[in-house]
Amino acid sequence: MSKSKAHEPATKNWLPLEAKAELARLAQEIRKHDALYHGEDKPAISDAEYDSLRGAYRDLRAQFPELAPVDDPEKQVGYAPQAGFSKVGHQVPMLSLGNAFSPDDVTDFVARIHRYLGWKTDGKEAAALRFVAEPKIDGLSCSLRYEQGKLTVAATRGDGVTGENITANVRTIATVPQQLHGNYPDMVEVRGEVYMARADFLALNQARQAAQEEPFANPRNAAAGSLRQLDATITAQRKLRFFAYALGAASAPVAATQTALRQQLKSWGFTLNEPAAACATTAELLAYFARIGGERSALPFDIDGVVYKVDDCALQERLGFVSRAPRWAIAHKFAAEQAQTRLKAITIQVGRTGVLTPVAELEPVNVGGVMVSRATLHNADEIVRKDIRVGDSVTVQRAGDVIPQIVSSDAGKRAADSAPFTFPTQCPVCHSHVVEQEDYAARRCSGGLFCPAQQQEKLRHFVSRDAFNIEGLGEQRIEEFIQLGWLHSPADIFRLGQHKDALLQREGWKEKSVSNLLAAIEARRTIPLAKLIYALGIPQVGEVTAKQLAMHYRNYPHWYDAMRRVAANDETARTELDDLPNIDQALIASVSDFFAEAHNRAVIEELAQLLRIEEQAAPVASDHPLAGKTIVFTGTLQSMGRNEAKAKAESLGAKIGSGISKNTDYLVMGEDAGSKADKAKALGITILSEAEWIKLTE
Ligand code: IVH
């Protein structure tokens, strides 16, 4: 997940050059997290961490406004729309809100308004300034256009100026009126938040987990993920709701105050953010904040703060906007709920795909009304970055997220003999070796075929349609057989016949269903090599790669032996694999990790004995002169890359050799060729120039 460096304190005295670099770095971090949050609905840091990142940027930018990068995040409202949906321009921009984190920030907000309007307050607040306070819902802002009272277009905020057209999806939301009630202008845009209630979120995640799908991190991500479906029938299955809180463009004035607007929205048929309150002083705003804070956990939806808005629309107009937010409104955010406790241990969880996740085992502690005894530590990097050690006194946080997090650890309270955590090098479940993946902070168990934590997922893949395609052996039956102790590895599938009598005794099984299942399994005892390779579920080896490996190695013993040698770092075997088109280093590393694990090899060998593995037929013999010939390339080709040349030769039925031998038919010589030419000459092999070779392929 996040590898972000902690931001430097704002109090540091920056030199301009340093400040410029730091601003660029922070801006890049912000963009990265914006992309994860808005683009992929997969945040890597908590909202509080994100806010503090933005705060650090804003503070430094205030000191050096002239050094802000061109793509200044302060000037950008949201995240640019994704491809896939058509675009909708917002006639009135959809803005964001400034944040207040403390009572002082709220006092400043009110004072700023007075100053801007030129109202003398003599230390007292002007009685004419009234506010409406509403809960701030954690969802996705959305603009709904009504023409003649009918919903015509629904759009996301996007970057504030252009959003995505999500009309089809929004039509599936029950709390969005398709037709306004009562009187309405010819055209009006209603703005509000699409969100998911907490109960619906929990039910959705339960269903996703049961279906082996990744759960959403929080209701906001669930709402975003559900709304951004290109297929509206999926959106329809998710229980989304809508709160209205503002207007966009309108063909005629609607209301003179926010209070009147709320009434109007309600009579048109919208649901509003409740409980709202009218407030006339800062003290009243803060009292509302405290009250909602207390009621927060009892609300059926997640809120991350409250919003204060100047009630009078004429004043709103006068106050206008500054960069990305209105001057007349502010979001007062709740602090993340935190508590201190002791980290008893760090355990490692093995996910169904083999990813190892460190988990903090805590002395149980009450965090904002919920007892917390475990928190995620995300990954090995995070433990190092935050210097978290077993025995430490740590700060735990729940910030809208369902999964508690460790914010920091107090190094001052640490025992003298404490030591950094060493990440295990063996899987805690199956003891296979742990591999680190480049470009990805996760570590993974390499015992894919053997590890009980990955068993069910691997077996499900093994029998799936494009792999062994065993009908009647679905997810639930796999689970049943695993629980009965009949199924551990793929080989066991082909021994299920041994349990025929026991199976007939079980509820839900009849003579017919048992014999159908066993027949389906028997039918797959003969399997093409490519299907077998794909079925093993080696990370990175999809159907296309599996087919390619089968085409090249042709039969099982040859392929298996080559893979074993790749894992044993055999130079020739590695070069041969590397020479295949479209095979990259990541794939070689993955294959190598997989076959280096003795457990995996044992499972494959056991399985192979129970199967008849069909040889991959040679590519259809073409009548091309290159068909069946073995070609070796050497030196640099001018007109195309090496891989393209190889792919071309293979498509004509030729085989590619990596070294010169008596079986070589042609050596194609590019520029700066090495010793291969001499060897070819000595063996009397035909040497082709690049031009001659191209001519042959035509
Ligand atoms: S008023 C001109 N009221 O929070 C801005 N926004 O962080 C009009 N939000 O973009 C926004 N609850 O998506 C408003 N009661 C509420 C809200 C609310 C949630 C969202 C909205 C906004 C974001 C800012």
Side-chain angles (χ1 to χ4, degrees), residues 95-97 134-137 141 157 193 245-246 273 307 309 321 326 328:
L95 294 147
S96 182
L97 291 171
E134 301 170 351
K136 183 173 184 305
I137 311 294
S141 46
R157 179 165 69 186
E193 203 85 349
Y245 51 62
N273 297 29
V307 183
K309 302 173 184 178
F321 297 86
W328 48 265

Side-chain angles (χ1 to χ4, degrees), residues 16-65:
L17 215 61
E18 284 178 319
K20 188 166 181 199
E22 180 66 359
L23 279 167
R25 188 185 76 77
L26 291 169
Q28 195 186 353
E29 275 285 295
I30 292 171
R31 269 197 306 278
K32 181 179 98 187
H33 291 298
D34 280 347
L36 285 169
Y37 191 90
H38 298 287
E40 299 175 27
D41 303 320
K42 264 195 184 155
I45 55 176
S46 67
D47 290 359
E49 282 177 297
Y50 179 81
D51 285 342
S52 112
L53 179 66
R54 274 212 99 106
Y57 179 83
R58 202 173 306 121
D59 291 347
L60 191 57
R61 186 183 176 280
Q63 288 178 52
F64 299 95

Side-chain angles (χ1 to χ4, degrees), residues 142-403:
C142 185
S143 186
L144 311 175
R145 192 180 170 90
Y146 288 87
E147 286 166 79
Q148 262 51 67
K150 285 195 174 49
L151 175 63
T152 52
V153 182
T156 64
R157 179 165 69 186
D159 61 7
V161 179
T162 312
E164 296 158 342
N165 186 328
I166 50 163
T167 315
N169 299 14
V170 167
R171 284 197 198 282
T172 70
I173 302 175
T175 42
V176 169
Q178 301 290 319
Q179 166 74 53
L180 301 181
H181 302 297
N183 299 321
Y184 38 78
D186 290 347
M187 191 287 291
V188 62
E189 281 173 8
V190 174
R191 291 182 174 172
E193 203 85 349
V194 172
Y195 71 99
M196 194 177 281
R198 215 177 283 142
D200 296 329
F201 163 74
L202 292 175
L204 172 64
N205 263 359
Q206 255 170 17
R208 285 177 75 83
Q209 267 163 325
Q212 310 263 313
E213 288 166 334
E214 205 183 326
F216 287 108
N218 53 47
R220 195 241 163 237
N221 293 118
S226 305
L227 198 58
R228 285 235 193 75
Q229 292 290 337
L230 286 171
D231 177 357
T233 57
I234 299 181
T235 313
Q237 291 158 22
R238 311 276 173 85
K239 290 207 178 104
L240 294 174
R241 295 164 200 257
F242 181 79
F243 275 134
Y245 51 62
L247 282 194
S251 58
V254 170
T257 61
Q258 179 73 19
T259 311
L261 174 64
R262 286 178 62 89
Q263 277 315 316
Q264 184 58 262
L265 290 170
K266 207 182 274 183
S267 64
W268 283 340
F270 289 98
T271 315
L272 304 188
N273 297 29
E274 305 279 9
C279 301
T281 62
T282 310
E284 285 178 22
L285 294 176
L286 296 177
Y288 174 80
F289 179 77
R291 182 188 130 205
I292 299 297
E295 292 171 9
R296 183 181 178 191
S297 55
L299 293 174
F301 44 80
D302 271 10
I303 59 174
D304 58 347
V306 298
V307 183
Y308 307 137
K309 302 173 184 178
V310 168
D311 193 26
D312 185 331
C313 297
L315 288 180
Q316 289 184 0
E317 193 77 21
R318 277 178 64 193
L319 285 159
F321 297 86
V322 54
S323 71
R324 54 202 282 272
R327 280 197 193 82
W328 48 265
I330 199 162
H332 191 178
K333 295 280 198 83
F334 294 128
E337 293 173 303
Q338 294 191 336
Q340 254 81 40
T341 189
R342 202 179 73 87
L343 176 61
K344 291 196 297 187
I346 296 176
T347 54
I348 305 289
Q349 259 179 6
V350 188
R352 62 193 176 84
T353 58
V355 173
L356 305 189
T357 306
V359 175
E361 305 289 345
L362 304 164
E363 208 74 73
V365 63
N366 187 325
V367 190
V370 174
M371 285 309 279
V372 171
S373 57
R374 304 185 93 194
T376 176
L377 287 164
H378 298 300
N379 55 46
D381 284 6
E382 171 118 339
I383 300 178
V384 175
R385 185 165 67 83
K386 293 185 174 165
D387 187 22
I388 293 169
R389 304 181 182 189
V390 173
D392 278 0
S393 161
V394 293
T395 302
V396 191
Q397 169 172 299
R398 279 180 51 236
D401 302 333
V402 190
I403 309 163

